[in-house]
């Protein structure tokens, strides 16, 4: 099992969700986050005063998947979230030791 | 039957005696039909009452009186909540209530001062610098008009209308020292400031015997004109704000931490209320629902819209984006700048004022402040002192008897010629009085109760520290 953490532009959520659904992914967790990478923040100017806003609002999608669908899920996210401009986000893939469905007690691939 | 009859006789006798007193007191002739028509025409034209005959019209003229009552409410609406929201939106979240409390507190405090002696010191008869105490505690100020100021508006309505100006003027000052001054210090400063700066200045400019009342006082030394308060309201508050913010000092962390407005939405709502309320301020200053008020309504609208567009256009050109704060700032700058002029200029003059009002205060807020480094937090100096000064001098050049026939009465010789020199003299007196008065009062407050909260209090925010409340509890 792998965990995919994808940081995307907020307005791309619908597209990414649909693309993942088409790729057979059944669920996901979405978190509102703030951060910056090479895109950096932006500048706000109020009359004469300039303020740099370092942290840009983003969404983080977390999904845990069986190893065999990880590749197609990543492809789906990339295709849906890409605008080609700086700030499109990043995808991280992490190994997952165990998963368990609380209602039934199922473990492993069957639980995700 | 006998009892009833004697009752009638008694009542009749009383009525006769009372009527006799009334006639004896006034000793006026019964008006002829022509005189009665003339009295009505005077009402419609906002002219003087006929003096030598008994009028059939008792009390104020309903139309003018109704308009002034609406205008008084509109001018209060400018402060509560207009200015409070305009300023409140521009501060950080932790200080929003402190600004609202300052505006509310000033409204209450000034009302009490105005009732006690304020109205009398400004509009009571006295000298050319300050009025007397004849109207103290609104003694004798009732629903009958005071012909020194308006033949057709009740004096009590006139008094409350003028009180709304006395409320908003010190409330404007708090913008410069927002987020870093103790509540008690604001109220103490304002209480003293009203006596030292506002009451004398308002009397000099608007009092019937005022030193600088060029339009109505034939004996005034300085023939200056100020329709709705360029000197009295905006220059006095703006220049005082600069002095106070220099003495109070900069906000903690200025230039290091973000001090962006916490709600541009509230700021925009406040700006819009200011614009609406300003019709009561400017058009209402005609003190009648007459042709001069109509003209002031139009000039106010034109100058404001054009200043807003100008300010935003400059931002668009120089920075690539027109900001909501730019549009709002332009609106307020336009309103301020046209204030002294609105009842004296034509629509074309208003357009010229609008362009200057978008440009010069913009430079003051954006360039001058950065160059000199004073922390005028919400730009009271940049908008009100600069806009008020700009408007006062432009009034000297643009005022014309075509827009306001009253200019021909005492000022026929100087309008369009040397009026601007008189305007400069009035501006100089205003600046000296505001700067010197505010410096003395601010230092006095500083050494007695202190101006600033301590570092910890300022960091936590004035809402919790001074008022024990939070503006927003979001769960």
């Amino acid at each position: 099992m792998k965990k995919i953490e994808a940081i995307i532009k907020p307005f791309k959520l619908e597209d990414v969700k649909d693309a993942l659904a088409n790729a057979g992914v059944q669920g996901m967790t979405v978190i509102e986050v703030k951060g910056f990478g090479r895109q950096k923040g932006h500048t706000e100017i109020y009359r004469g005063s300039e303020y740099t806003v370092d942290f840009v609002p983003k969404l983080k999608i977390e999904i845990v998947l069986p190893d065999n669908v990880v590749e197609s899920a990543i492809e789906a996210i990339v295709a849906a979230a890409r605008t080609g401009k700086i700030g499109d986000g990043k995808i991280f893939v992490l190994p997952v030791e165990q998963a368990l469905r609380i209602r039934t007690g199922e473990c492993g691939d069957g639980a995700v | 039957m006998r009892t009833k009859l004697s009752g009638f006789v008694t009542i009749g006798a009383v009525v006769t005696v009372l009527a006799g007193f009334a006639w004896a007191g006034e000793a006026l002739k019964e008006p002829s039909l022509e005189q009665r028509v003339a009295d009505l025409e005077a009402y419609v034209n906002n002219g003087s009452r006929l003096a030598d005959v008994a009028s059939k019209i008792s009390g104020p003229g309903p139309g003018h009186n109704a308009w002034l009552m609406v205008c008084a409410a509109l001018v209060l609406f400018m402060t509560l909540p207009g200015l409070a929201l305009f300023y409140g939106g521009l501060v950080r979240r932790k200080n929003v209530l402190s600004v609202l409390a300052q505006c509310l507190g000033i409204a209450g405090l000034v009302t009490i001062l105005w009732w006690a002696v304020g109205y009398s010191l400004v509009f009571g008869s006295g000298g050319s610098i300050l009025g007397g105490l004849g109207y103290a505690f609104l003694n004798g100020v009732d629903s009958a008009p005071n012909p020194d100021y308006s033949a057709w508006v009740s004096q009590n309505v006139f008094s409350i209308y003028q009180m709304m100006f006395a409320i908003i003027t010190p409330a404007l000052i708090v913008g410069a020292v927002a987020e870093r001054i103790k509540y008690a210090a604001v109220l103490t400063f304002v209480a003293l400031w009203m006596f030292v700066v506002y009451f004398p200045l308002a009397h000099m400019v608007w009092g019937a015997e005022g030193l600088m009342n060029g339009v109505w006082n034939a004996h005034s030394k300085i023939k200056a004109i100020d329709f709705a308060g360029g000197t009295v309201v905006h220059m006095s508050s703006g220049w005082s704000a600069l002095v106070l913010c220099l003495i109070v000092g900069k906000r903690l962390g200025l230039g290091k931490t973000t001090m962006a407005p916490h709600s541009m939405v509230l700021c925009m709502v406040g700006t819009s209320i200011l614009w609406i309320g300003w019709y009561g301020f400017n058009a209402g200053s005609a003190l009648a629902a007459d042709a001069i008020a109509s003209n002031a309504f139009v000039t106010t609208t034109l100058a404001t819209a054009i200043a807003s567009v100008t300010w935003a256009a400059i931002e668009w050109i120089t920075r690539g984006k027109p900001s909501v704060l730019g549009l709002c700032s332009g609106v307020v700058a336009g309103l301020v700048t046209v204030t002294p002029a609105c009842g004296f200029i034509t629509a074309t003059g208003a357009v010229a004022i609008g362009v200057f009002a978008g440009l010069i205060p913009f430079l003051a807020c954006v360039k001058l402040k950065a160059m000199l480094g004073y922390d005028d937090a919400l730009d009271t100096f940049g908008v009100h002192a600069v806009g008020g000064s700009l408007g006062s001098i432009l009034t000297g050049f643009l005022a014309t008897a075509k827009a306001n026939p009253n200019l021909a009465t005492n000022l026929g010789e100087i309008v369009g010629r040397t009026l601007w020199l008189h305007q400069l003299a009035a501006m100089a007196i205003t600046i000296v009085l505001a700067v010197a008065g505010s410096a003395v009062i601010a230092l006095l407050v500083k050494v007695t109760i202190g101006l600033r909260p301590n570092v910890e209090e300022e960091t936590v925010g004035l809402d919790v520290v001074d008022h024990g409340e939070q503006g927003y509890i979001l769960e």
Side-chain angles (χ1 to χ4, degrees):
Chain A
M1 286 177 296
K2 294 276 191 291
K3 181 188 189 192
I4 299 176
E5 291 186 354
I7 293 167
I8 62 167
K9 290 187 165 174
F11 80 99
K12 281 292 189 181
L13 179 64
E14 283 299 308
D15 293 349
V16 170
K17 187 192 77 183
D18 293 345
L20 284 170
N22 288 338
V25 175
Q26 288 178 327
M28 66 180 68
T29 305
V30 180
I31 307 155
E32 289 180 8
V33 293
K34 281 183 173 183
F36 66 88
R38 278 183 292 181
Q39 177 193 8
K40 289 284 184 286
H42 62 269
T43 309
E44 292 178 6
I45 304 172
Y46 296 95
R47 292 202 186 119
S49 312
E50 250 183 77
Y51 302 110
T52 308
V53 178
D54 291 327
F55 297 100
V56 185
K58 297 280 174 186
L59 290 182
K60 183 159 94 169
I61 299 173
E62 297 189 349
I63 332 166
V64 177
L65 296 170
D67 289 347
N68 59 346
V69 290
V70 167
E71 209 50 46
S72 58
I74 291 174
E75 279 166 22
I77 295 172
V78 169
R82 175 179 282 161
T83 67
K85 293 193 190 113
I86 194 163
D88 273 353
K90 287 199 169 69
I91 297 174
F92 306 104
V93 182
L94 297 80
V96 173
E97 280 191 16
Q98 182 58 288
L100 188 143
R101 190 187 304 277
I102 293 173
R103 176 171 58 87
T104 59
E106 284 171 277
C107 287
D109 284 358
V112 297
Chain B
M1 180 75 194
R2 205 181 163 141
T3 337
K4 253 188 189 171
L5 190 65
S6 72
F8 277 123
V9 169
T10 316
I11 291 169
V14 169
V15 168
T16 315
V17 168
L18 284 179
F21 273 124
W23 281 117
E26 294 170 17
L28 294 175
K29 288 180 304 209
E30 183 72 4
S32 67
L33 192 59
E34 231 169 57
Q35 286 169 319
R36 291 171 64 182
V37 171
D39 210 25
L40 272 178
E41 283 174 346
Y43 164 51
V44 172
N45 296 326
N46 189 33
S48 308
R49 307 286 289 258
L50 298 186
D52 51 348
V53 290
S55 174
K56 296 280 181 189
I57 302 171
S58 63
H64 300 310
N65 215 38
W67 167 237
L68 254 283
M69 283 189 270
V70 170
C71 285
L74 281 171
V75 180
L76 180 64
F77 196 46
M78 288 170 67
T79 309
L80 305 175
L83 185 71
L85 294 183
F86 175 67
Y87 279 172
L90 290 177
V91 297
R92 286 167 290 174
R93 206 167 88 168
K94 61 185 180 180
N95 294 319
V96 59
L97 292 183
S98 76
V99 172
L100 306 192
Q102 286 162 6
C103 290
L104 271 167
I106 287 171
L109 172 67
V110 171
T111 300
I112 296 166
L113 297 180
W114 193 254
W115 162 74
V117 291
Y119 175 69
S120 194
L121 291 176
V122 177
F123 294 103
S125 60
S128 62
I129 307 286
L130 198 61
L133 290 172
Y135 293 133
F137 302 102
L138 296 187
N139 176 39
V141 178
D142 56 20
S143 298
N146 175 352
D148 279 351
Y149 298 101
S150 167
W152 299 100
V153 172
S154 290
Q155 187 175 200
N156 49 17
V157 171
F158 172 75
S159 164
I160 295 302
Y161 175 69
Q162 294 295 343
M163 184 184 82
M164 301 313 180
F165 287 63
I167 288 172
I168 196 167
T169 306
L172 292 169
I173 298 175
V174 306
V177 289
E179 306 197 284
R180 61 187 191 284
I181 187 165
K182 291 198 285 198
Y183 192 58
V186 169
L187 295 182
T188 312
F189 177 86
V190 168
L192 297 170
W193 188 85
M194 294 307 289
F195 285 92
V196 176
V197 180
Y198 190 84
F199 296 153
L201 190 60
H203 180 76
M204 284 190 267
V205 176
W206 290 331
E209 321 151 297
L211 178 77
M212 310 191 260
N213 187 346
V215 184
W216 299 113
N217 180 5
H219 309 294
S220 57
K221 293 257 163 44
I222 296 166
K223 304 285 176 197
I225 60 175
D226 182 354
F227 195 77
T231 52
V232 180
V233 175
H234 297 292
M235 285 184 66
S236 71
S237 61
W239 286 93
S240 297
L242 178 67
V243 172
L244 187 59
C245 92
L246 288 172
I247 293 174
V248 168
K250 296 177 187 181
R251 283 168 291 178
L252 282 180
L254 181 72
K256 289 175 209 139
T257 53
T258 300
M259 293 187 178
H262 91 281
S263 172
M264 277 310 303
V265 175
L266 288 187
C267 176
M268 184 276 170
V269 172
T271 305
S272 310
I273 292 174
L274 277 169
W275 189 345
I276 292 165
W278 222 291
Y279 289 114
F281 195 94
N282 279 4
S285 285
L287 300 179
D290 64 0
I292 295 169
S294 313
N295 183 55
F297 208 106
V298 172
T299 57
T300 299
T301 311
L302 288 173
T304 305
I306 289 165
S308 178
V309 168
T310 305
W311 191 305
I314 298 171
E315 282 189 339
W316 213 333
I317 294 164
T318 57
R319 298 202 190 124
K321 287 176 188 174
S323 70
V324 172
L325 183 53
L327 287 158
C328 290
S329 305
V331 164
V332 179
L335 289 163
V336 167
T337 308
V338 79
T339 289
C342 61
F344 298 127
I345 57 171
T346 61
T348 314
V351 171
I353 283 191
V355 174
F356 281 110
L359 181 67
I360 310 285
F362 172 86
L363 293 173
C365 293
V366 175
K367 300 290 174 200
L368 186 71
K369 188 164 92 162
M371 222 164 71
L372 300 180
Y374 53 90
D375 184 18
D376 176 8
L378 314 181
D379 290 310
T380 304
F381 176 77
V383 174
H384 295 274
V386 172
S389 306
L390 176 67
S392 295
I393 189 66
L394 288 177
T395 304
F397 294 111
L398 297 171
T400 160
K402 267 192 293 185
N404 188 329
N406 296 330
L407 289 174
T409 317
N410 290 325
L411 302 174
E413 298 293 308
I414 65 166
V415 168
R417 300 196 184 91
T418 57
L419 179 61
W420 66 278
L421 289 169
H422 293 266
Q423 294 296 95
L424 277 182
M427 290 163 66
I429 290 175
T430 305
I431 293 172
V432 169
L433 183 60
V435 168
S438 298
V440 170
I441 300 167
L443 292 172
L444 200 66
V445 176
K446 189 175 181 177
V447 297
T448 51
I449 62 171
L451 288 164
R452 282 186 85 129
N454 66 36
V455 173
E456 186 184 344
E457 291 169 336
E458 190 175 330
T459 312
V460 170
L462 301 179
D463 291 4
V464 170
V465 170
D466 272 348
H467 307 289
E469 296 168 293
Q470 293 179 53
Y472 306 92
I473 297 176
L474 304 169
E475 294 188 44

